[in-house]
Amino acid sequence: MRWVDGALRAITPWGWTLFAVVLGGAVLARTLGWTEAVVAAVAAGVLIVAAVPWIIGERWARARIGLSAERVPVGADALALVEVSRPTRAATPSQVDLDIGDEAAVLEIPAIEVGGRVVRSVPLDTSRRGLRTIGPATIMRTDPFGVLERRHRLTESRTLVVHPRVVRLPGGAGGIVRDLDGEAAAERTADDVSFHSLREYAPGDDRRLVHWRSSARHGTLLVRQFEPSRRADTLIVLSTDPAEYDGDDFELALSLVGTLGLAAMSDRRRLRVVESPGADRGEAPAIDAVTRDRLLDALAVLEPRRSHGIAPAARAARGTASGSLAWLVTGSKVPPRTLRTAANGMPAGVVSVVVRAAVGALPSRARLGDADVVTVGAIEDLSRGIGQSRQR
């Protein structure tokens, strides 16, 4: 049973020794009639019984865990704040243990008056992106004799999300907007803002589109038709093939995806972010990019795990490339032939820009077929590379 298991775990080595003294003294007293054995067994039993009230009953303290921020970028300052209060006259513990991932921080707690509280802060490691589990905060309750001990849980755990680092891009960089209303398409539509021409009325046409003056002049019903304008929607394709990255290239690639995605959101462009497919001809899994926090949260836990790189990812994302721009983000170990295959995998009319994450490399731009290839050695280099691409 659960309570039996908890009781057994509460007994210290010294406690097990006392239990052995009780059992051994009872056996010796019964078999040999030793009075000394009876005294030893009774004394050990008294110590065991006296230890019980120290580890049961009302809490000695109450605590709460807070975070200076629940989401921070890599390298930012973050603190775990532990508030310990004394609700009753029961003695408060002298220290509180706080689990931080696989490690534990020991917080020294001074004497607290009844109804008082004290706050202790612990700096958190944000050198790498990911999730940091903070807590629970616990205290060790034991008796003065060291017979029993019980770890008492004061709080639940909290989670700190460390996002990849992002920078702000100039307006329009997330979509490379061709004009204010979008890029005109070759097809025609009956409902848009850019008038193109007139055509004869066909059954089913909306009569509100009939141009009555022209119809009267030509003696037949004529309706307006328009050029549809396409928004500069943005597709970001991220390779999650570890073979395409070297060192911390993948971390830089995630920063690039986050920066480009936030730029598209800032420009109010429809955004879709996908990663490498699980199979060579499989579908490209979507990365949650509905909001800023959801995109960065998804990138915070993403790891290189697919065996298919940027070319299969671009091919798998071809069906979702409904906008005007596709960013293809990969690492420094991809040969030019693979980059060309990836860039050519986008539908006609979609501008492809390949972004290579190569930590420490000098920023550069090259032309590969109909696509620009921008090499970025640090996240700060991205803005300049995009600006050069847009001038072409």
Side-chain angles (χ1 to χ4, degrees):
M1 297 177 66
R2 185 175 180 180
W3 69 270
V4 175
D5 180 65
L8 294 176
R9 286 189 285 109
I11 303 174
T12 65
W14 170 237
W16 285 113
T17 302
L18 292 179
F19 274 102
V21 170
V22 172
L23 180 61
V27 172
L28 291 176
R30 183 176 182 83
T31 58
L32 302 178
W34 288 1
T35 304
E36 294 83 354
V38 175
V39 174
V42 171
V46 170
L47 288 177
I48 294 172
V49 173
V52 172
W54 290 86
I55 67 167
I56 64 174
E58 191 176 359
R59 294 183 178 181
W60 289 4
R62 292 177 181 172
R64 293 189 305 171
I65 295 179
L67 299 176
S68 58
E70 294 186 350
R71 296 175 173 87
V72 296
V74 168
D77 294 332
L79 295 174
L81 305 174
V82 181
E83 179 188 89
V84 181
S85 60
R86 182 183 181 185
T88 68
R89 293 184 177 275
T92 55
S94 60
Q95 67 181 37
V96 172
D97 299 326
L98 179 66
D99 293 340
I100 304 177
D102 296 331
E103 301 179 352
V106 178
L107 309 180
E108 299 296 332
I109 305 300
I112 306 174
E113 297 181 354
V114 177
R117 63 191 61 197
V118 65
V119 177
R120 289 289 180 264
S121 62
V122 181
L124 302 176
D125 179 21
T126 61
S127 60
R128 302 286 290 184
R129 66 175 177 86
L131 303 181
R132 305 285 185 270
T133 302
I134 315 301
T138 60
I139 58 173
M140 181 63 74
R141 301 177 62 173
T142 186
D143 61 277
F145 319 110
V147 179
L148 304 175
E149 63 181 19
R150 174 189 172 197
R151 184 159 294 280
H152 188 81
R153 184 170 180 165
L154 297 177
T155 69
E156 299 297 327
S157 300
R158 298 288 299 273
T159 301
L160 172 70
V161 185
V162 182
H163 289 163
R165 183 166 171 260
V166 297
V167 298
R168 182 181 294 274
L169 293 180
I176 306 186
V177 186
R178 300 290 179 81
D179 53 56
L180 183 61
D181 294 324
E183 181 184 5
E187 63 271 16
R188 301 292 173 257
T189 180
D191 185 14
D192 213 294
V193 296
S194 180
F195 174 76
H196 178 261
S197 60
L198 296 172
R199 64 169 175 81
E200 291 189 5
Y201 176 84
D205 286 341
D206 189 345
R207 293 190 177 184
R208 290 175 298 179
L209 299 177
V210 174
H211 195 279
W212 296 106
R213 288 187 178 181
S214 299
S215 298
R217 187 164 53 249
H218 290 82
T220 183
L221 286 178
L222 298 176
V223 296
R224 303 177 184 89
Q225 61 179 358
F226 303 86
E227 285 183 342
S229 58
R230 296 184 303 175
R231 289 177 55 85
D233 297 337
T234 300
L235 170 69
I236 301 177
V237 181
L238 171 66
S239 168
T240 50
D241 182 3
E244 296 188 350
Y245 296 93
D246 185 26
D248 285 335
D249 287 353
F250 187 72
E251 300 300 318
L252 176 57
L254 294 178
S255 293
L256 295 172
V257 172
T259 297
L260 293 169
L262 296 187
M265 292 180 186
S266 178
D267 293 337
R268 298 185 178 181
R269 310 297 168 192
R270 189 172 61 183
L271 173 66
R272 180 173 174 81
V273 184
V274 300
E275 61 170 303
S276 298
D280 187 40
R281 297 290 178 179
E283 182 180 354
I287 297 174
D288 189 352
V290 176
T291 65
R292 179 188 190 279
D293 284 342
R294 289 170 66 172
L295 171 61
L296 295 181
D297 286 352
L299 296 179
V301 298
L302 190 63
E303 298 294 340
R305 58 177 181 261
R306 309 288 186 184
S307 60
H308 301 282
I310 192 62
R315 182 172 58 248
R318 178 184 177 91
T320 65
S322 58
S324 63
L325 176 66
W327 299 99
L328 310 179
V329 182
T330 184
S332 60
K333 299 176 68 175
V334 184
R337 181 177 179 179
T338 302
L339 296 179
R340 184 183 298 108
T341 301
N344 292 338
M346 291 295 103
V350 176
V351 177
S352 299
V353 180
V354 179
V355 184
R356 297 175 62 248
V359 174
L362 294 176
S364 62
R365 176 185 57 81
R367 194 70 177 172
L368 189 62
D370 295 331
D372 282 326
V373 178
V374 178
T375 299
V376 179
I379 189 61
E380 292 81 7
D381 299 334
L382 180 59
S383 177
R384 180 169 54 180
I386 291 177
Q388 292 174 340
S389 296
R390 295 178 69 190
Q391 293 171 2
R392 289 187 62 86

